[in-house]
Amino acid sequence: MGRRGRAAVVVLGDFGRSPRMQYHALSLARQAFLEVDVIAYGGTDPHGAVLENQSIHLHKMRPIVLEGFPKLLHFFMLPFKALSQFFMLLWYLCIKITAPDVFIVQNPPSVPTLIAVNLASWWRKSTFVVDWHNFGYTLLGLSLGRSHLLVKTYHWLENHYGKKADGSLCVTKAMQHELAQNWGIKATVLYDQPPEFFHPASLQEKHALFCRLKEDLSHPCGIRDCVSFGRVSSAAIHGEEPYANSTLFTTQVDHDIFLKQDRPALIVSSTSWTRDEDFSMLLEAAVMYDRRASAVLNEDDSIEEELLWTDICNGKQYLYPRLLFVITGKGPEREKYEEKIKKLHLKRVAFRTMWLSAEDYPLLLGAADLGVCLHTSSSGLDLPMKVVDMFGCGLPVCAVSFSCIEELVKVEKNGLLFSSSSELADELLMLFKGFPDKSDALKSLRDGALETGSCARWASEWEQHAMPLIDEVISGSKK
């Protein structure tokens, strides 16, 4: 497929928080040799590889927000918002950018995106491909209920305009079957795969990352817990290592970097802080782990945190390690859960919430010991991309079980599944028993995750499945 001209990637959302569409843009530019116009909202910086590629041109729309209106009026303002978005999209798609050979549009959201792209493709004499990540009507149904008239109308519009596409991609075989059987849409499965910048982190990369995040991880303002007490090791206290070269997890002596034996286990969970991820399940599991790990230590409720700090300084080893959960992401329910976390007062578990750059996030995954995924899917037919990224970094996963998750997570090979907080707590206790040297079950899952992550990468998956479809629809439009 030689240089054919242009493609337009359409995202009615924050492009920096749409990794799959960023990867589409990179592949269109690098592998299909197209000039790529991205029409999306700004907000979060995309990966540096996107910003540095001179064939990718970002066109940032201004988000339409309903702030300032009473909540009771938000429902009545939704049609106005959709109409405003529709005309804004038409302006960019029909006038602002050069006419492309193909539009590639993320779904959801479906309304007004599919309607606008359908009209723009007719006006510009272009083709368009829908990349089905999920179904918009099922997401709307989380707040309104599936039987609501607005949800039914949304479903009809999503179906009607989805059928008008010249081609379709989707994320799972289960979704492919649903589209074929109940929507009359033939879709090609393009599995999410990690790009090349998701990989296991070296000791040098881990140490550099932990140095950058030292204060955020070890001693955030106003937080006193088992991790903030332990931000300096016993060796540092006794003058055997400079604090500047020591982090929670690593220490540097001359030019050599070591992982600390008394480090906490690092668990990462990325979330959009929305209703399709029940974060309370993770908090409840953390409380259960904390109680059971403390019981093994014969600690009672009156123990002082300073005693734990003394044990850490003296290098005392425990059967179950301290756990540090780092929760990354932005979303509407973040503050609510941060308040809940502050009230837990755990002895062996600590939480940190943060937003990382597109360059540091893969390094954090590559440096962690376990990933946790709380994604359940409004449709039950999509797969969490965060798990794909974790496998790309060789990070094993504990994931919430739902209908098609086993297309991705192979139980006892690269991860484990759970359906309740107690199951997750049991898995944490099993995986981290004897950490860091004697946690054989965790090491076995890490080997499986490394194997899974090395099997396929985004570029090869895209070239095998997406490129032929895009080539076909572009060629068909020129006949």
Side-chain angles (χ1 to χ4, degrees):
M1 183 176 177
R3 180 175 291 277
R4 294 183 179 275
R6 304 187 81 89
V9 174
V10 184
V11 181
L12 194 63
D14 186 340
F15 185 60
R17 296 172 63 186
S18 303
R20 181 175 167 105
M21 301 311 287
Q22 292 183 54
Y23 306 159
H24 270 305
L26 283 170
S27 290
L28 289 163
R30 291 174 173 176
Q31 295 169 257
F33 307 107
L34 295 169
E35 293 294 315
V36 182
D37 292 296
V38 175
I39 301 92
Y41 292 143
T44 305
D45 289 335
H47 195 277
V50 174
L51 297 174
E52 294 163 7
N53 193 302
Q54 295 185 359
S55 294
I56 299 176
H57 316 281
L58 301 181
H59 305 270
K60 296 180 181 179
M61 300 181 292
R62 181 172 296 179
I64 297 170
V65 295
L66 299 180
E67 291 179 3
F69 292 96
K71 287 188 177 181
L72 290 175
L73 294 180
H74 277 203
F75 176 81
F76 298 100
M77 294 299 294
L78 287 176
F80 169 77
K81 181 179 179 180
L83 196 62
S84 300
Q85 290 172 327
F86 175 73
F87 285 114
M88 181 171 57
L89 278 169
L90 285 184
W91 165 256
Y92 277 89
L93 302 181
C94 295
I95 298 173
K96 187 79 171 174
I97 66 170
T98 303
D101 295 298
V102 60
F103 291 99
I104 298 181
V105 56
Q106 172 185 291
N107 186 80
S110 316
V111 179
T113 324
L114 295 184
I115 305 169
V117 173
N118 177 67
L119 184 57
S121 66
W122 169 78
W123 180 260
R124 307 304 294 268
K125 295 181 173 55
S126 305
T127 56
F128 83 98
V129 172
V130 178
D131 190 17
W132 297 83
H133 298 192
N134 200 350
F135 296 125
Y137 84 95
T138 61
L139 289 170
L140 186 61
L142 290 177
S143 56
L144 299 180
R146 291 283 185 94
S147 60
H148 196 281
L149 178 61
L150 192 58
V151 175
K152 291 181 178 179
T153 303
Y154 198 107
H155 185 190
W156 184 88
L157 290 169
E158 189 171 22
N159 187 323
H160 179 75
Y161 286 97
K163 285 179 181 177
K164 292 180 176 290
D166 299 286
S168 290
L169 298 166
C170 65
V171 294
T172 63
K173 290 180 180 178
M175 184 175 286
Q176 180 189 48
H177 180 77
E178 168 68 14
L179 287 168
Q181 293 294 111
N182 298 320
W183 295 59
I185 294 173
K186 180 182 178 182
T188 299
V189 177
L190 175 65
Y191 279 120
D192 284 321
Q193 298 291 356
E196 70 280 359
F197 38 81
F198 283 89
H199 58 80
S202 66
L203 264 178
Q204 290 77 12
E205 288 174 321
K206 291 179 183 180
H207 185 66
L209 175 69
F210 294 143
C211 283
R212 288 197 296 276
L213 301 178
K214 180 182 289 186
E215 290 304 311
D216 291 329
L217 291 175
S218 305
H219 201 198
C221 182
I223 294 180
R224 286 169 59 85
D225 54 33
C226 65
V227 168
S228 62
F229 277 114
R231 76 184 194 280
V232 184
S233 74
S234 56
I237 289 175
H238 297 300
E240 298 172 17
E241 66 179 36
Y243 172 59
N245 290 330
S246 178
T247 73
L248 265 174
F249 305 94
T250 58
T251 187
Q252 183 173 3
V253 180
D254 296 325
H255 297 292
D256 296 322
I257 297 171
F258 304 94
L259 287 171
K260 293 180 175 179
Q261 283 296 109
D262 62 353
R263 68 188 183 272
L266 178 57
I267 303 174
V268 176
S269 181
S270 59
T271 177
S272 54
W273 299 101
T274 52
R275 293 184 180 182
D276 62 348
E277 296 184 346
D278 183 5
F279 196 73
S280 61
M281 190 181 297
L282 179 57
L283 297 189
E284 291 168 3
V287 170
M288 294 177 191
Y289 175 94
D290 190 72
R291 289 174 179 170
R292 288 154 72 176
S294 297
V296 171
L297 299 174
N298 294 317
E299 296 175 359
D300 59 36
D301 291 337
S302 64
I303 193 168
E304 295 292 334
E305 290 171 320
E306 284 77 4
L307 293 179
L308 290 179
W309 170 225
T310 301
D311 286 341
I312 292 166
C313 293
N314 292 332
K316 184 174 180 179
Q317 297 293 304
Y318 294 121
L319 182 62
Y320 295 110
R322 295 168 292 153
L323 302 184
L324 174 58
F325 288 90
V326 175
I327 316 300
T328 71
K330 298 178 181 177
E333 298 198 339
R334 175 173 169 173
E335 290 184 3
K336 179 182 82 173
Y337 280 110
E338 285 177 335
E339 288 302 314
K340 289 186 177 182
I341 289 170
K342 290 178 182 177
K343 298 174 182 177
L344 293 179
H345 303 296
L346 303 175
K347 299 170 185 172
R348 304 289 296 165
V349 180
F351 283 87
R352 302 289 183 266
T353 58
M354 61 182 66
W355 173 259
L356 295 174
S357 69
E359 287 71 33
D360 276 349
Y361 177 64
L363 292 175
L364 179 66
L365 296 185
D369 299 298
L370 181 70
V372 172
C373 176
L374 301 168
H375 178 86
T376 54
S377 174
S378 62
S379 65
L381 299 173
D382 68 305
L383 292 174
M385 193 167 190
K386 65 195 77 176
V387 172
V388 174
D389 294 338
M390 290 172 181
F391 288 159
C393 295
L395 183 63
V397 173
C398 289
V400 173
S401 180
F402 63 92
S403 58
C404 67
I405 188 64
E406 292 189 40
E407 286 190 40
L408 180 59
V409 179
K410 309 301 181 185
V411 176
E412 296 185 358
K413 179 180 179 183
N414 55 23
L416 299 172
L417 300 178
F418 61 90
S419 299
S420 66
S421 53
S422 60
E423 287 184 5
L424 176 57
D426 288 340
E427 290 171 1
L428 294 174
L429 287 161
M430 183 268 292
L431 291 174
F432 288 108
K433 184 178 181 180
F435 180 87
D437 295 328
K438 299 180 180 179
S439 47
D440 294 336
L442 183 63
K443 291 177 182 176
S444 176
L445 290 185
R446 177 172 285 279
D447 290 340
L450 283 166
E451 182 182 346
T452 301
S454 63
C455 288
R457 288 284 164 168
W458 172 267
S460 57
E461 182 79 5
W462 194 91
E463 186 163 348
Q464 182 178 354
H465 299 288
M467 185 182 283
L469 175 65
I470 293 169
D471 189 20
E472 180 184 344
V473 298
I474 292 178
S475 300
S477 70
K478 295 189 175 184
K479 291 182 180 178

